Amino acid sequence: MSLPVSPRPPSGPRRRSLLASAAGAALLVGCSGGSDPGAADADSPAADRARMRAARDSQGLAERYAAVMAAHPGLVERLSPLRQEVVRHAEAFGAERSASSEASPSVSARAAGPGDGSGTGAVSGTGAVPGTEKEALAVLAGVERTLADRRAEALLEVPGELARLLASVAAAGAAHVYLLTQGGTEGHG
């Protein structure tokens, strides 16, 4: 007796690959634990630059989420929890909580965030919010993926505690990519 085949081929990242990525990042970071002789490096200029860049990237991403929610009100319920998490990530990297990070997404659709010329340096090549919800979700997923990859690459260049924070936020970004591309589609279409 054969098992029925799924009517549609799976696409996007698999749960196993997301878990493997997160586990690999945790192992990488776990190897730097212990007495942490580089603890003095945590306040180094390179670590400060990495922390400030991560904060700016997260702030820009939060702005992009707000712009997408303003342009596509039907996505507010789905995207609000992800945006709130991104705001918390920015704060964890040392960004100040602004009034706009607490407010509802009343930002104009032009407020694209990363790559909009505001100097955030998050992800180049992003612009105004796409006209359809599907395209807007794809752009958000692309930005999340790019940032997660960049943060995973930076793990080897920063001291222990910052590396652990980057690994955690990179893993959260990978989960956001999954939720934007696959998860949450049940009941949304």
Side-chain angles (χ1 to χ4, degrees):
M1 176 191 251
S2 65
L3 296 174
V5 178
S6 175
R8 65 180 177 135
S11 63
R14 306 290 182 269
R15 225 177 300 178
R16 279 190 194 141
S17 63
L18 285 174
L19 292 174
S21 298
L27 284 174
L28 250 178
V29 174
C31 293
S32 69
S35 63
D36 200 7
D41 294 339
D43 294 327
S44 72
D48 289 343
R49 282 191 304 274
R51 187 181 304 276
M52 288 187 324
R53 180 178 185 179
R56 280 192 314 268
D57 288 348
S58 291
Q59 286 174 318
L61 182 57
E63 290 171 11
R64 174 161 293 283
Y65 271 99
V68 168
M69 290 187 295
H72 302 287
L75 293 174
V76 170
E77 183 180 337
R78 182 176 179 184
L79 297 180
S80 287
L82 300 178
R83 182 181 181 277
Q84 290 168 0
E85 216 172 271
V86 169
V87 168
R88 285 191 297 272
H89 296 160
E91 292 169 356
F93 288 119
E96 297 289 323
R97 185 176 195 103
S98 66
S100 66
S101 68
E102 296 174 10
S104 64
S106 58
V107 181
S108 73
R110 185 222 50 84
D116 67 353
S118 65
T120 61
V123 178
S124 61
T126 56
V129 176
T132 68
E133 288 183 0
K134 184 176 182 177
E135 290 171 342
L137 290 173
V139 168
L140 279 175
V143 174
E144 286 272 18
R145 184 178 295 113
T146 300
L147 287 178
D149 291 347
R150 181 184 302 156
R151 288 170 174 162
E153 290 173 12
L155 290 175
L156 299 175
E157 301 168 10
V158 296
E161 192 59 36
L162 180 55
R164 286 188 271 291
L165 180 57
L166 282 170
S168 175
V169 174
H176 287 188
V177 170
Y178 174 77
L179 292 170
L180 290 166
T181 57
Q182 297 293 317
T185 56
E186 306 82 20
H188 287 285

